[in-house]
């Protein structure tokens, strides 16, 4: 029943669009325009710091906020130069900062340990997160003291600089990906109109999703990186879906069918694949909802929306455009590319690869599994950690300044905060401070002990000499939570929690470690069920899931080799932090499973179609993969090129996503789909269609009915 529905939806949509082409086209344009206008009319509601709270550190943040002990936003200025002149510059800066708009307090300037630099810290008033006025003061003092170097950084400065960098990266990715994708489409079609349609539809899907996401963000707060992800996914699937449809429509016209008949057949075959693929991507991304964290929820929602929009456009407006354009879709032709495209046709390289695979499937399967296993093996040693200062681009001035501040002034580096609520909390935290500093790992921060106005809640800030990513930091926080704090605070019956950025990162890592196996199991099980329902075959569903698992293993192995062990640091322009940013593997998993199903569904759909027309499974595998080779190559080329562009961006998260997905998709579309898939299907033979069985083989391809053929239920 479900499989029949999946088949009927694209057929009916195409039929309606073909009968009412202008209505379909204008409706699509109106929907895109309306959705895009939402981005202007409805401001995006970005996630607040409170939305990221998790575990014990989240409780500590909530306790601090309720008691009025939450640390205000602050900025610091590092002053270096002639040691004799530094104090004068620091005094001038502190005096002018105290008069600046939005400043609540300025701490006395302090020297670093070797008295080579001074630090001036300014706290912003409640609700103020704009460091602009302070930056103006810093620039003015720097101009008045040309012999000194003044560098400003802090939470607001870092946020602004990082947001600007992300925006620049996104604009760069968009500016490069569009012409690259257009060139790839020209190579695929050899005609300007045919090449432009997939790109335009993908852009329409992306821009519409940006507007819809702005409105949805008032229900689910938006993660700042969601725009990059929408471009990443939207361009990949939007182009591929149109590519599948266009290629099949052109193929049928080349066989002498009318435009209407060609569109009808494309809807029955490629339209079915697009719908199944869209469901698979959405199902895979929905696994992120299980984690229950704002970053994953926002990214999943953005991805699902852009995929749904791309599917709707592909099965509605695309048939209408093809009907109206008719054979003009192949105009104007690019002479050299058109002749090359016609001469290559289906087969080519794939025929040479498939011949030995089909002759010796067991050997081919074993060899390809060995290669993939070797690439995936490093993933067993993967270390994950939250993004830190070390993972941010060093070319951002505020980032480099913060690194220098953290190195010279430990109290401004890695810190943890202990919150205690109840009578005597200040005294108990004072005793805890003595115990913690006596243990050797922690040191006190000047003014680190504070008490609420009511006097019943206190906070203690302690500094650690190591960066967040250091294993010793994790051990020290664990020791504080499990031994030091309970010994000092439990006896007095106080409610307490350990928080701070380092503790928050630890909580997130533990939460992710707990939920990752659940998400992996959910995504694989859901795609297993979807493939089983769509193709009515249990073995095919199992093979598809196993291949997805192989692709994920390769992606994780590449992530570990490149970013944890530092392979290709120079070529990719980054410095290895010694770990993989914690949310990247899970995100790569769901994206890769979803996108690899994109062309996998197309290939297996073509094979099943040929089997249903009477071709033996062995020949259907060879013919189906050969017939779909050019489409799969073009689809994979689009994905790889888009992801490779992200690998060139400055933000390390974008690099990790781009490298892992580009390499995994490249291998998935070649070694896995051209070697492992056909080898497995040939070895299984007719058993691959269980519990249904193919019609009696004729040994040759027959014309068959115009509708998609069915497989006969097993007796």
């Amino acid at each position: 029943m479900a499989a029949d529905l999946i088949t009927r939806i694209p057929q009916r949509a195409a039929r309606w669009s073909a009968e009412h082409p202008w209505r379909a086209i204008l409706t699509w344009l109106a929907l895109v325009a309306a959705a895009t206008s939402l981005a202007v009319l409805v401001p995006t509601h970005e996630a607040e710091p409170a939305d990221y709270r998790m575990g014990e550190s989240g409780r500590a943040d909530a306790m601090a906020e309720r008691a009025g002990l939450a640390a205000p936003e602050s900025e610091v200025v590092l002053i270096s130069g002639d040691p004799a002149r530094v104090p004068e510059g620091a005094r001038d800066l502190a005096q002018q900062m105290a008069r600046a708009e939005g400043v609540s307090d300025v701490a006395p300037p302090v020297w670093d340990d070797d008295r080579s630099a001074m630090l001036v810290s300014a706290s912003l008033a409640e609700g103020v997160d704009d460091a602009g006025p302070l930056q103006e003061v810093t620039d003015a003092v720097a101009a008045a003291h040309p012999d000194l170097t003044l560098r400003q950084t802090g939470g607001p400065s870092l946020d602004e600089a990082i947001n600007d960098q992300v925006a620049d990266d996104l604009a760069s990715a968009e500016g490069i990906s569009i012409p690259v994708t257009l060139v790839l489409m020209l190579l695929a079609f050899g005609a300007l109109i045919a090449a432009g349609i997939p790109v335009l539809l993908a852009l329409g899907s992306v821009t519409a999703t940006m507007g819809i996401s702005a409105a949805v963000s008032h229900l689910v707060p938006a993660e700042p990186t969601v725009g990059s992800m929408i471009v990443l996914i939207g361009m990949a699937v939007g182009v591929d879906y149109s590519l599948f449809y266009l290629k099949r429509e052109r193929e049928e016209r080349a066989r002498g069918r009318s435009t209407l008949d060609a569109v009808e057949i494309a809807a029955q075959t490629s339209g079915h694949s697009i719908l199944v693929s869209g469901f698979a991507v959405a199902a895979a991304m929905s696994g992120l909802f299980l984690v229950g964290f704002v970053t994953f929820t926002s990214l999943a929602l953005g991805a699902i929306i852009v995929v749904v929009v791309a599917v709707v456009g592909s099965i509605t407006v695309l048939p209408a455009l093809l009907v109206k354009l008719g054979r003009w879709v192949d105009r104007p032709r690019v002479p050299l590319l058109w002749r090359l495209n016609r001469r290559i046709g289906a087969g080519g390289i794939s025929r040479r690869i498939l011949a030995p695979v089909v002759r010796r499937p067991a050997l081919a399967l074993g060899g390809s599994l060995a290669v993939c296993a070797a690439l995936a093996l490093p993933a067993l040693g993967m270390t994950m950690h939250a993004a830190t200062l070390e993972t941010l681009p060093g070319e951002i001035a505020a980032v480099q300044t913060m690194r220098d501040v953290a190195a010279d002034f430990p109290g401004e580096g890695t810190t943890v905060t202990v919150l205690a609520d109840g009578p005597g909390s200040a005294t108990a935290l004072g005793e805890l401070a003595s115990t913690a500093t006596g243990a050797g790992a922690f040191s006190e921060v000047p003014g680190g002990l504070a008490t609420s106005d009511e006097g019943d809640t206190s906070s203690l800030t302690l500094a650690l000499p190591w960066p967040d990513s250091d294993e010793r930091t994790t051990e020290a926080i664990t020791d504080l939570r499990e031994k030091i704090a309970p010994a000092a605070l439990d006896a007095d019956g106080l409610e307490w929690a350990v928080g701070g950025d380092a503790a928050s990162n630890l909580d997130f890592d533990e939460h992710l470690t707990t939920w990752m196996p659940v998400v992996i199991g959910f995504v694989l099980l859901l795609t297993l069920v979807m493939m089983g329902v769509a193709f009515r075959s249990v073995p095919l569903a199992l093979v598809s899931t196993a291949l997805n698992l192989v692709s994920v293993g390769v992606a994780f192995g590449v992530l570990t080799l490149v970013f944890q062990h530092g392979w290709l640091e120079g070529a990719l322009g980054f410095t290895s932090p010694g770990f993989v940013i914690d949310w990247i593997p899970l995100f790569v998993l769901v994206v890769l499973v979803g996108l690899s199903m994109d062309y996998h569904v197309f290939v297996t759909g073509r094979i099943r179609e040929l089997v249903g027309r009477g071709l033996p499974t062995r020949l259907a595998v060879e013919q189906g993969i050969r017939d779909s080779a050019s489409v799969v190559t073009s689809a994979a080329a689009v994905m790889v090129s888009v992801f490779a562009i992200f690998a060139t961006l400055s933000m390390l998260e974008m690099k990790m996503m781009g490298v892992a997905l580009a390499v995994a998709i490249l291998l998935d579309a070649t070694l896995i789909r051209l070697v492992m898939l056909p080898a497995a299907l040939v070895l299984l033979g007719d058993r691959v269609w269980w519990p249904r069985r193919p019609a009696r083989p004729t040994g040759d391809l027959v014309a068959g009915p115009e509708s998609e053929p069915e497989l006969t239920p097993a007796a």
Side-chain angles (χ1 to χ4, degrees), residues 528-544:
L528 173 73
V529 171
M530 290 192 62
M531 286 296 295
V533 170
F535 290 95
R536 304 170 188 178
S537 165
V538 174
L540 184 59
L542 290 171
V543 168
S544 303

Side-chain angles (χ1 to χ4, degrees), residues 481-648:
R481 284 176 164 176
E482 296 180 356
K483 297 177 182 178
I484 299 174
L489 305 175
D490 282 352
D492 296 324
L494 300 174
E495 179 189 354
W496 60 272
V498 176
D501 289 342
S504 176
N505 291 340
L506 177 59
D507 289 341
F508 181 70
D509 289 345
E510 291 177 348
H511 182 80
L512 210 54
T513 301
T514 300
W515 280 97
M516 184 175 285
V518 178
V519 175
I520 292 175
F522 172 83
V523 170
L524 293 179
L525 180 61
L526 202 55
T527 52
L528 173 73
V529 171
M530 290 192 62
M531 286 296 295
V533 170
F535 290 95
R536 304 170 188 178
S537 165
V538 174
L540 184 59
L542 290 171
V543 168
S544 303
T545 303
L547 295 181
N548 283 335
L549 199 55
V550 171
S551 298
V552 170
V554 169
F556 284 8
V558 169
L559 270 175
T560 306
L561 285 173
V562 174
F563 295 99
Q564 184 172 317
H565 299 302
W567 288 27
L568 302 177
E569 277 183 318
L572 293 173
F574 74 96
T575 301
S576 171
F579 58 85
V580 175
I581 294 176
D582 48 16
W583 64 271
I584 294 293
L586 195 57
F587 183 72
V588 166
L589 162 77
V590 296
V591 171
L592 182 58
V593 169
L595 295 185
S596 64
M597 295 297 289
D598 188 354
Y599 43 82
H600 178 74
V601 168
F602 182 79
V603 173
T604 51
R606 180 60 70 94
I607 294 171
R608 190 186 76 157
E609 180 184 344
L610 294 172
V611 169
R613 289 185 179 182
L615 212 60
T617 297
R618 181 189 179 102
L619 294 179
V621 168
E622 192 170 1
Q623 175 88 23
I625 291 179
R626 192 165 63 240
D627 287 351
S628 58
S630 63
V631 181
V632 170
T633 300
S634 300
V638 170
M639 290 188 190
V640 171
S641 66
V642 170
F643 297 147
I645 290 167
F646 274 74
T648 67

Side-chain angles (χ1 to χ4, degrees), residues 306-458:
V306 77
V307 168
V308 169
V309 173
V311 168
V312 170
S314 298
I315 65 175
T316 57
V317 71
L318 182 55
L321 286 171
L322 293 177
V323 167
K324 291 305 295 181
L325 289 169
R327 297 186 180 276
W328 279 96
V329 75
D330 292 328
R331 303 288 192 278
R333 297 171 179 172
V334 180
L336 178 62
L337 293 180
W338 176 262
R339 287 196 298 271
L340 182 64
N341 189 271
R342 300 286 287 183
R343 287 181 62 186
I344 292 176
I349 298 175
S350 64
R351 182 182 290 107
R352 299 187 187 96
I353 295 173
L354 280 170
V357 170
V358 172
R359 282 198 306 271
R360 297 182 180 86
L363 182 62
L365 184 60
S368 56
L369 275 173
V371 172
C372 292
L375 288 172
L377 191 61
L380 296 176
M382 179 188 288
T383 300
M384 297 187 295
H385 195 279
T388 64
L389 273 174
E390 292 95 333
T391 64
L392 293 173
E395 57 267 24
I396 298 178
V399 170
Q400 188 57 52
T401 301
M402 184 59 81
R403 290 176 182 172
D404 294 340
V405 169
D408 295 341
F409 299 87
E412 299 292 333
T414 304
T415 60
V416 294
T417 304
V418 185
L419 271 293
D421 183 42
S425 58
T427 303
L429 286 179
E431 295 173 358
L432 184 149
S434 300
T435 304
T437 54
F442 296 95
S443 60
E444 292 192 61
V445 174
L449 182 60
T451 303
S452 64
D453 293 338
E454 291 78 11
D456 55 356
T457 304
S458 300

Side-chain angles (χ1 to χ4, degrees), residues 30-355:
L31 288 174
V32 171
T36 305
S37 66
L38 289 175
V40 179
L41 300 174
V42 181
T44 300
H45 174 61
E46 293 195 351
E48 303 285 343
D51 295 319
Y52 294 92
R53 289 174 182 164
M54 178 174 291
E56 184 175 336
S57 59
R59 288 195 294 109
D61 287 347
M63 289 171 64
E65 186 176 7
R66 287 196 304 268
L69 294 174
E73 294 284 4
S74 64
E75 288 285 300
V76 296
V77 179
L78 187 64
I79 307 174
S80 58
D82 184 354
R85 302 294 304 276
V86 167
E88 180 186 350
R91 283 194 301 272
D92 287 352
L93 180 65
Q95 290 171 1
Q96 294 193 40
M97 276 185 162
R99 296 192 294 268
E101 180 184 356
V103 175
S104 63
D105 183 53
V106 178
V110 294
W111 284 103
D112 63 358
D113 290 340
D114 60 5
R115 300 184 70 83
S116 62
M118 293 193 82
L119 191 72
V120 179
S121 303
S123 299
L124 302 183
E126 185 176 355
V128 176
D129 58 3
D130 181 12
L134 280 179
Q135 187 63 58
E136 293 176 2
V137 170
T138 301
D139 293 342
V141 173
H145 297 269
D147 53 334
L148 300 179
T149 300
L150 281 74
R151 294 183 291 157
Q152 181 175 322
T153 188
S157 293
L158 280 172
D159 288 344
E160 182 180 359
I162 292 169
N163 288 338
D164 289 345
Q165 188 65 57
V166 169
D168 291 344
D169 280 355
L170 181 58
S172 174
E174 290 174 342
I176 299 172
S177 65
I178 293 171
V180 167
T181 304
L182 188 57
V183 168
L184 290 172
M185 290 299 96
L186 278 172
L187 291 172
F189 291 107
L192 286 175
I193 293 178
I197 287 175
V199 177
L200 289 175
L201 285 179
L203 284 174
S205 299
V206 168
T207 54
T209 302
M210 291 291 192
I212 296 171
S213 295
V216 172
S217 69
H218 292 269
L219 299 175
V220 178
E223 164 73 19
T225 56
V226 71
S228 301
M229 190 277 313
I230 288 172
V231 173
L232 187 81
I233 303 297
M235 290 302 297
V237 301
V239 169
D240 283 1
Y241 292 164
S242 299
L243 175 67
F244 293 161
Y245 214 107
L246 265 168
K247 279 281 190 177
R248 187 56 188 261
E249 189 268 349
R250 292 176 88 210
E251 181 182 318
E252 296 303 327
R253 277 196 292 107
R255 291 173 177 169
R257 303 186 191 277
S258 67
T259 298
L260 277 173
D261 288 341
V263 168
E264 180 84 10
I265 295 171
Q268 295 167 0
T269 53
S270 295
H272 171 269
S273 298
I274 289 168
L275 205 58
V276 173
S277 174
F279 277 127
V281 177
M285 296 303 301
S286 68
L288 293 179
F289 291 132
L290 297 176
V291 183
F293 190 65
V294 65
T295 297
F296 292 120
T297 302
S298 175
L299 294 177
L301 201 56
I304 290 172
I305 293 172
V306 77
V307 168
V308 169
V309 173
V311 168
V312 170
S314 298
I315 65 175
T316 57
V317 71
L318 182 55
L321 286 171
L322 293 177
V323 167
K324 291 305 295 181
L325 289 169
R327 297 186 180 276
W328 279 96
V329 75
D330 292 328
R331 303 288 192 278
R333 297 171 179 172
V334 180
L336 178 62
L337 293 180
W338 176 262
R339 287 196 298 271
L340 182 64
N341 189 271
R342 300 286 287 183
R343 287 181 62 186
I344 292 176
I349 298 175
S350 64
R351 182 182 290 107
R352 299 187 187 96
I353 295 173
L354 280 170

